[in-house]
Amino acid sequence: MTPMTVRGVPRGLQRDAWWMAPDAQTGIGSGTVVPKTYRLPILIALVVVADFLVMRSDVGLGFVALILTLATAVHWTLRTTVARVTAIKAWALLAASLVPAFDLFQFTSFVIAWGGLMVFAAMMSGDRIGAAVRRLPFYGVSQTWRDVWSARVNGPDRSSLTDWILPLGVGGVFAALFAAANPLVTTWLGGFNFDHLPSPWRVVVWAFVAIVFWPLLRLSVMGLHKPVARARVTVKRVGVLNARSVTRALIMFNLLFAAQTLMDVGFLWGGVRLPDGLSYAQYAHRGAYPLMITALLAGGFALIAQPWLDGRGMRALLLAWVVQNLVLVMSSILRLDLYIDAYGMTHLRFAAVVWMVVVALGLGVLVMQIIGRKEAIWMLQRAFGIGVFAVYMSSLTNVAGYVARHQLTHTPLDAGYVCQLNEGAAVAVAQLQPDLCDNRYTGPTLSVPNDLREWAFRNMRLRHSLAATKAGAEV
């Protein structure tokens, strides 16, 4: 007798046997158990930690502790998927990004630390780090909106927050009516001290902090590392940018830059006498910043024009023009140096020197890219790295102290400017001219942290140096 074969599964069994299928959320039935993440309790704890470390005191070491706490929460939510080697590399990079904030909390150290946290999150969640870092702010906002809209809490029962709207909303109305009808409740509420409750502004800050922190706990579902299919872009040699227009532009630009370079070489390097009524400082000041803008625009055009280069002649024209830009930047640095000698060092002039050096190094990388016939992304990555390194090192530099020391050891001295510098200049003033700000200006003073949350390594070093300076003066 031939056995009967039943093909397929009855529909009734398909509907009723759902409990036999693996659960994608809990892992039941798949052979593995996905650990709980407890994202909502973690978020509440992070907001409380942020309130204690940052919001209730001056920002200092507490900010470093907050970033480390956020990174720990990210690692906890991804602990089952991240490799140990990747985690070690991510933690090492995060530690390096926190060094400036450990030294002194300021805008640049904040940007570096937060950027390090974003890279840390990208490294912990996948392999396409660059794409993940770029997407995280936008995907994070989208993910937060979706989670708020769905109003779900991750848990074994996946209960909805909307289930509490009816009982809490209508129950609150009933409670208010009963309170108005009961004089005992009204008297009790009238004697209650509401000063201990958080202010509406603090509640708004808590909500904002929660919105910022939430995407860091949802990295596993945002798809930051998914490749995006892009249509192949072909260069169209038509329109304003084409081989002929680029060639003519390079010839004209080379001639214009050659004329400017010759004048700079004559006046700044060759000692040619300037016209009557024009000093070297005035000549330097008039050209330092405009020439920097010119160099930046030229570098951008050099990158854009490369797809239209035909033959060695055009490449040679582009290379000659970039080299002239490099000479132009060196002239700008010399101009600024002459201006600083005449009028003194300031924060803005210090930043301009750093920026000019960065641009010069970027143009040097551009020359290497043109000679080596490498892709534009090769140059952009290295130029970006140079800029990040410059910002990183500048954040570790006591700029106010350097500016004050330069002002106090060179002429002319702008006493009003020096006395208005921040606390970084206090030691330099005390060592070189301790009576500079007496009876005229307040002068830079060092702050003393109230507790460990406000502590900063640079502030500690400055306080020790100032105490040693005062002790030496008394002897």
Side-chain angles (χ1 to χ4, degrees):
M1 182 176 181
T2 304
M4 182 180 66
T5 302
V6 179
R7 301 182 181 276
V9 179
R11 292 184 178 180
L13 183 60
Q14 290 181 6
R15 291 194 304 266
D16 298 336
W18 55 267
W19 48 270
M20 299 175 61
D23 192 338
Q25 296 296 326
T26 63
I28 299 175
S30 62
T32 59
V33 178
V34 179
K36 301 176 182 179
T37 55
Y38 302 102
R39 291 188 178 92
L40 188 58
I42 291 176
L43 177 66
I44 296 174
L46 290 176
V47 173
V48 173
V49 170
D51 181 80
F52 173 73
L53 293 178
V54 177
M55 302 179 194
R56 294 182 180 272
S57 63
D58 293 336
V59 184
L61 191 61
F63 174 76
V64 177
L66 175 61
I67 296 296
L68 291 174
T69 305
L70 289 172
T72 303
V74 170
H75 196 169
W76 171 261
T77 58
L78 301 173
R79 65 191 184 280
T80 59
T81 58
V82 64
R84 178 178 298 180
V85 175
T86 302
I88 292 174
K89 293 179 180 178
W91 277 105
L93 186 141
L94 180 67
S97 69
L98 289 177
V99 172
F102 178 82
D103 183 56
L104 178 68
F105 179 83
Q106 53 187 340
F107 177 75
T108 53
S109 61
F110 167 79
V111 172
I112 293 172
W114 191 258
L117 180 63
M118 296 299 101
V119 177
F120 173 88
M123 293 178 66
M124 298 288 283
S125 58
D127 297 329
R128 304 182 73 243
I129 300 174
V133 173
R134 293 192 300 269
R135 295 171 179 174
L136 183 54
F138 308 101
Y139 282 34
V141 173
S142 177
Q143 184 64 43
T144 302
W145 173 255
R146 289 196 300 268
D147 291 339
V148 171
W149 182 257
S150 61
R152 289 188 178 274
V153 179
N154 292 328
D157 58 352
R158 296 185 60 83
S159 61
S160 175
L161 289 177
T162 55
D163 296 342
W164 288 97
I165 294 179
L166 180 62
L168 292 179
V170 179
V173 173
F174 287 151
L177 292 174
F178 289 153
N182 193 328
L184 295 178
V185 176
T186 304
T187 303
W188 179 78
L189 289 177
F192 185 77
N193 186 7
F194 291 93
D195 296 335
H196 299 293
L197 296 179
S199 64
W201 172 248
R202 182 172 291 274
V203 175
V204 171
V205 173
W206 287 346
F208 176 78
V209 170
I211 292 173
V212 173
F213 289 175
W214 178 249
L216 296 175
L217 306 178
R218 299 284 284 163
L219 295 171
S220 59
V221 298
M222 281 195 288
L224 298 174
H225 300 266
K226 291 182 179 179
V228 178
R230 297 181 180 178
R232 186 176 180 180
V233 179
T234 57
V235 177
K236 297 181 179 180
R237 301 179 180 272
V238 295
V240 177
L241 282 175
N242 53 68
R244 296 185 303 275
S245 65
V246 170
T247 303
R248 294 168 184 173
L250 288 176
I251 294 174
M252 179 180 294
F253 295 164
N254 270 289
L255 293 176
L256 289 173
F257 276 62
Q260 178 62 44
T261 301
L262 288 175
M263 284 190 293
D264 278 350
V265 169
F267 291 123
L268 296 177
W269 307 88
V272 177
R273 184 174 180 273
L274 290 171
D276 294 337
L278 183 64
S279 65
Y280 280 102
Q282 292 173 339
Y283 179 78
H285 184 250
R286 288 285 299 272
Y289 299 109
L291 290 181
M292 282 300 302
I293 298 175
T294 301
L296 289 173
L297 294 176
F301 178 83
L303 286 174
I304 295 173
Q306 289 188 32
W308 283 268
L309 298 181
D310 288 335
R312 295 182 178 179
M314 290 184 64
R315 190 169 294 274
L317 284 173
L318 179 62
L319 183 60
W321 186 46
V322 174
V323 171
Q324 287 198 79
N325 274 278
L326 187 56
V327 175
L328 199 67
V329 174
M330 301 303 294
S331 297
S332 299
I333 295 175
L334 180 59
R335 285 170 179 262
L336 188 58
D337 182 64
L338 293 173
Y339 187 71
I340 290 173
D341 287 340
Y343 297 101
M345 176 65 75
T346 63
H347 267 280
L348 180 61
R349 292 160 197 167
F350 179 89
V353 171
V354 174
W355 180 242
M356 289 178 181
V357 173
V358 169
V359 173
L361 294 175
L363 290 174
V365 174
L366 182 58
V367 171
M368 296 171 59
Q369 184 252 333
I370 296 172
I371 295 176
R373 296 177 180 269
K374 300 182 182 296
E375 298 292 334
I377 189 64
W378 181 89
M379 179 266 170
L380 292 175
Q381 289 175 345
R382 282 151 182 80
F384 179 77
I386 292 172
V388 171
F389 179 77
V391 174
Y392 186 88
M393 296 305 297
S394 297
S395 65
L396 294 175
T397 303
N398 183 8
V399 180
Y402 176 79
V403 170
R405 195 170 297 277
H406 190 282
Q407 284 271 359
L408 295 171
T409 55
H410 295 75
T411 56
L413 169 61
D414 188 349
Y417 182 82
V418 173
C419 293
Q420 293 175 0
L421 293 173
N422 60 33
E423 65 177 19
V427 175
V429 173
Q431 290 177 347
L432 298 175
Q433 293 192 29
D435 57 346
L436 176 67
C437 305
D438 295 345
N439 303 323
R440 290 185 298 174
Y441 308 101
T442 303
T445 57
L446 283 173
S447 61
V448 179
N450 295 318
D451 52 43
L452 195 59
R453 293 173 295 178
E454 302 178 358
W455 184 89
F457 183 61
R458 186 182 303 180
N459 178 269
M460 181 200 69
R461 299 198 321 268
L462 290 174
R463 284 187 285 111
H464 288 176
S465 299
L466 185 60
T469 300
K470 292 182 177 179
E474 293 175 357
V475 175

